[in-house]
PDB file of all heavy atoms in Angstrom:
ATOM      1  N   ASN A   9       6.142  12.091  -3.084  1.00 56.00           N
ATOM      2  CA  ASN A   9       7.363  12.095  -3.880  1.00 56.00           C
ATOM      3  C   ASN A   9       7.059  11.899  -5.362  1.00 56.00           C
ATOM      4  O   ASN A   9       7.665  12.537  -6.235  1.00 56.00           O
ATOM      5  CB  ASN A   9       8.308  10.984  -3.389  1.00 56.00           C
ATOM      6  CG  ASN A   9       8.844  11.279  -1.998  1.00 56.00           C
ATOM      7  OD1 ASN A   9       8.906  12.438  -1.603  1.00 56.00           O
ATOM      8  ND2 ASN A   9       9.206  10.224  -1.264  1.00 56.00           N
ATOM      9  N   THR A  11       4.253  12.653  -6.897  1.00 64.00           N
ATOM     10  CA  THR A  11       3.612  13.872  -7.391  1.00 64.00           C
ATOM     11  C   THR A  11       4.636  14.959  -7.646  1.00 64.00           C
ATOM     12  O   THR A  11       4.573  15.671  -8.646  1.00 64.00           O
ATOM     13  CB  THR A  11       2.569  14.354  -6.386  1.00 64.00           C
ATOM     14  OG1 THR A  11       1.619  13.319  -6.144  1.00 64.00           O
ATOM     15  CG2 THR A  11       1.839  15.591  -6.893  1.00 64.00           C
ATOM     16  N   ALA A  60     -10.293  30.274 -59.068  1.00 87.00           N
ATOM     17  CA  ALA A  60     -10.534  29.113 -59.921  1.00 87.00           C
ATOM     18  C   ALA A  60     -11.929  28.551 -59.761  1.00 87.00           C
ATOM     19  O   ALA A  60     -12.404  27.832 -60.634  1.00 87.00           O
ATOM     20  CB  ALA A  60      -9.488  28.022 -59.626  1.00 87.00           C
ATOM     21  N   ILE A  70     -12.238  39.293 -55.476  1.00 81.00           N
ATOM     22  CA  ILE A  70     -12.271  37.857 -55.203  1.00 81.00           C
ATOM     23  C   ILE A  70     -13.494  37.485 -54.376  1.00 81.00           C
ATOM     24  O   ILE A  70     -14.231  36.543 -54.688  1.00 81.00           O
ATOM     25  CB  ILE A  70     -10.986  37.414 -54.475  1.00 81.00           C
ATOM     26  CG1 ILE A  70      -9.757  37.627 -55.360  1.00 81.00           C
ATOM     27  CG2 ILE A  70     -11.083  35.940 -54.063  1.00 81.00           C
ATOM     28  CD1 ILE A  70      -8.443  37.266 -54.701  1.00 81.00           C
ATOM     29  N   PRO A  74     -19.140  35.766 -57.974  1.00 87.00           N
ATOM     30  CA  PRO A  74     -20.034  34.619 -57.690  1.00 87.00           C
ATOM     31  C   PRO A  74     -19.308  33.287 -57.829  1.00 87.00           C
ATOM     32  O   PRO A  74     -18.401  33.119 -58.650  1.00 87.00           O
ATOM     33  CB  PRO A  74     -21.141  34.749 -58.730  1.00 87.00           C
ATOM     34  CG  PRO A  74     -20.485  35.480 -59.874  1.00 87.00           C
ATOM     35  CD  PRO A  74     -19.511  36.426 -59.263  1.00 87.00           C
ATOM     36  N   ARG A  82     -14.323  22.469 -66.087  1.00 89.00           N
ATOM     37  CA  ARG A  82     -15.056  21.837 -67.196  1.00 89.00           C
ATOM     38  C   ARG A  82     -14.792  22.588 -68.493  1.00 89.00           C
ATOM     39  O   ARG A  82     -14.637  21.976 -69.563  1.00 89.00           O
ATOM     40  CB  ARG A  82     -16.550  21.807 -66.891  1.00 89.00           C
ATOM     41  CG  ARG A  82     -16.932  20.936 -65.689  1.00 89.00           C
ATOM     42  CD  ARG A  82     -18.440  20.770 -65.601  1.00 89.00           C
ATOM     43  NE  ARG A  82     -18.826  20.044 -64.396  1.00 89.00           N
ATOM     44  CZ  ARG A  82     -19.241  20.648 -63.272  1.00 89.00           C
ATOM     45  NH1 ARG A  82     -19.320  21.962 -63.223  1.00 89.00           N
ATOM     46  NH2 ARG A  82     -19.556  19.928 -62.216  1.00 89.00           N
ATOM     47  N   LYS A  95      -0.472  17.653 -75.257  1.00 91.00           N
ATOM     48  CA  LYS A  95       0.515  16.889 -76.032  1.00 91.00           C
ATOM     49  C   LYS A  95       1.754  17.744 -76.303  1.00 91.00           C
ATOM     50  O   LYS A  95       2.888  17.277 -76.080  1.00 91.00           O
ATOM     51  CB  LYS A  95      -0.086  16.432 -77.356  1.00 91.00           C
ATOM     52  CG  LYS A  95       0.886  15.726 -78.266  1.00 91.00           C
ATOM     53  CD  LYS A  95       0.265  15.397 -79.625  1.00 91.00           C
ATOM     54  CE  LYS A  95       1.303  14.803 -80.565  1.00 91.00           C
ATOM     55  NZ  LYS A  95       0.726  14.521 -81.905  1.00 91.00           N
ATOM     56  N   TYR A 139      23.824  32.074 -70.157  1.00 90.00           N
ATOM     57  CA  TYR A 139      22.767  31.923 -69.155  1.00 90.00           C
ATOM     58  C   TYR A 139      22.218  33.280 -68.711  1.00 90.00           C
ATOM     59  O   TYR A 139      21.055  33.393 -68.305  1.00 90.00           O
ATOM     60  CB  TYR A 139      23.323  31.165 -67.945  1.00 90.00           C
ATOM     61  CG  TYR A 139      22.325  30.976 -66.827  1.00 90.00           C
ATOM     62  CD1 TYR A 139      21.306  30.037 -66.930  1.00 90.00           C
ATOM     63  CD2 TYR A 139      22.403  31.754 -65.674  1.00 90.00           C
ATOM     64  CE1 TYR A 139      20.379  29.866 -65.914  1.00 90.00           C
ATOM     65  CE2 TYR A 139      21.476  31.593 -64.649  1.00 90.00           C
ATOM     66  CZ  TYR A 139      20.475  30.648 -64.771  1.00 90.00           C
ATOM     67  OH  TYR A 139      19.569  30.490 -63.759  1.00 90.00           O
ATOM     68  N   LYS A 179       6.973  24.247 -88.738  1.00 87.00           N
ATOM     69  CA  LYS A 179       6.465  23.577 -87.546  1.00 87.00           C
ATOM     70  C   LYS A 179       7.264  22.333 -87.174  1.00 87.00           C
ATOM     71  O   LYS A 179       7.320  21.951 -85.997  1.00 87.00           O
ATOM     72  CB  LYS A 179       4.996  23.219 -87.725  1.00 87.00           C
ATOM     73  CG  LYS A 179       4.743  22.204 -88.838  1.00 87.00           C
ATOM     74  CD  LYS A 179       3.262  21.876 -88.945  1.00 87.00           C
ATOM     75  CE  LYS A 179       3.022  20.822 -90.021  1.00 87.00           C
ATOM     76  NZ  LYS A 179       1.566  20.489 -90.140  1.00 87.00           N
ATOM     77  N   ASP A 190      17.979  26.148 -76.023  1.00 92.00           N
ATOM     78  CA  ASP A 190      17.970  25.948 -74.578  1.00 92.00           C
ATOM     79  C   ASP A 190      19.265  25.292 -74.115  1.00 92.00           C
ATOM     80  O   ASP A 190      19.807  25.625 -73.054  1.00 92.00           O
ATOM     81  CB  ASP A 190      16.770  25.106 -74.178  1.00 92.00           C
ATOM     82  CG  ASP A 190      16.547  25.087 -72.674  1.00 92.00           C
ATOM     83  OD1 ASP A 190      16.786  26.109 -72.016  1.00 92.00           O
ATOM     84  OD2 ASP A 190      16.153  24.034 -72.141  1.00 92.00           O
ATOM     85  N   LEU A 246      12.883  17.202 -59.745  1.00 82.00           N
ATOM     86  CA  LEU A 246      12.398  18.574 -59.807  1.00 82.00           C
ATOM     87  C   LEU A 246      11.886  18.924 -61.214  1.00 82.00           C
ATOM     88  O   LEU A 246      10.866  19.617 -61.365  1.00 82.00           O
ATOM     89  CB  LEU A 246      13.490  19.544 -59.386  1.00 82.00           C
ATOM     90  CG  LEU A 246      13.943  19.464 -57.919  1.00 82.00           C
ATOM     91  CD1 LEU A 246      15.077  20.425 -57.655  1.00 82.00           C
ATOM     92  CD2 LEU A 246      12.761  19.758 -56.993  1.00 82.00           C
ATOM     93  N   GLY A 255       8.593  25.789 -70.224  1.00 84.00           N
ATOM     94  CA  GLY A 255       9.359  26.986 -70.518  1.00 84.00           C
ATOM     95  C   GLY A 255       8.563  28.057 -71.257  1.00 84.00           C
ATOM     96  O   GLY A 255       8.747  28.242 -72.467  1.00 84.00           O
ATOM     97  N   ASP A 257       8.622  31.392 -71.211  1.00 90.00           N
ATOM     98  CA  ASP A 257       9.362  32.532 -71.768  1.00 90.00           C
ATOM     99  C   ASP A 257       9.902  32.216 -73.141  1.00 90.00           C
ATOM    100  O   ASP A 257       9.708  32.988 -74.102  1.00 90.00           O
ATOM    101  CB  ASP A 257      10.511  32.927 -70.825  1.00 90.00           C
ATOM    102  CG  ASP A 257      10.003  33.407 -69.481  1.00 90.00           C
ATOM    103  OD1 ASP A 257       8.808  33.713 -69.396  1.00 90.00           O
ATOM    104  OD2 ASP A 257      10.795  33.469 -68.529  1.00 90.00           O
ATOM    105  N   ALA A 291      -7.837  30.893 -66.215  1.00 87.00           N
ATOM    106  CA  ALA A 291      -6.382  30.896 -66.057  1.00 87.00           C
ATOM    107  C   ALA A 291      -5.975  30.391 -64.688  1.00 87.00           C
ATOM    108  O   ALA A 291      -5.023  29.608 -64.549  1.00 87.00           O
ATOM    109  CB  ALA A 291      -5.839  32.304 -66.283  1.00 87.00           C
ATOM    110  N   LEU A 312       9.382   6.351 -56.551  1.00 77.00           N
ATOM    111  CA  LEU A 312      10.009   5.451 -57.523  1.00 77.00           C
ATOM    112  C   LEU A 312      11.517   5.509 -57.425  1.00 77.00           C
ATOM    113  O   LEU A 312      12.200   4.483 -57.527  1.00 77.00           O
ATOM    114  CB  LEU A 312       9.542   5.833 -58.937  1.00 77.00           C
ATOM    115  CG  LEU A 312      10.087   4.974 -60.085  1.00 77.00           C
ATOM    116  CD1 LEU A 312       9.629   3.528 -59.920  1.00 77.00           C
ATOM    117  CD2 LEU A 312       9.633   5.526 -61.427  1.00 77.00           C
ATOM    118  N   ILE A 321      14.350  13.020 -52.807  1.00 65.00           N
ATOM    119  CA  ILE A 321      14.446  14.350 -52.226  1.00 65.00           C
ATOM    120  C   ILE A 321      14.321  14.292 -50.708  1.00 65.00           C
ATOM    121  O   ILE A 321      14.994  15.001 -49.978  1.00 65.00           O
ATOM    122  CB  ILE A 321      13.336  15.258 -52.806  1.00 65.00           C
ATOM    123  CG1 ILE A 321      13.532  15.420 -54.325  1.00 65.00           C
ATOM    124  CG2 ILE A 321      13.355  16.622 -52.167  1.00 65.00           C
ATOM    125  CD1 ILE A 321      12.492  16.284 -54.988  1.00 65.00           C
TER     126      ILE A 321
END
Side-chain angles (χ1 to χ4, degrees):
N9 292 335
T11 303
I70 296 178
R82 295 190 185 97
K95 176 185 175 182
Y139 179 76
K179 64 179 182 180
D190 191 36
L246 294 177
D257 296 344
L312 181 62
I321 298 180

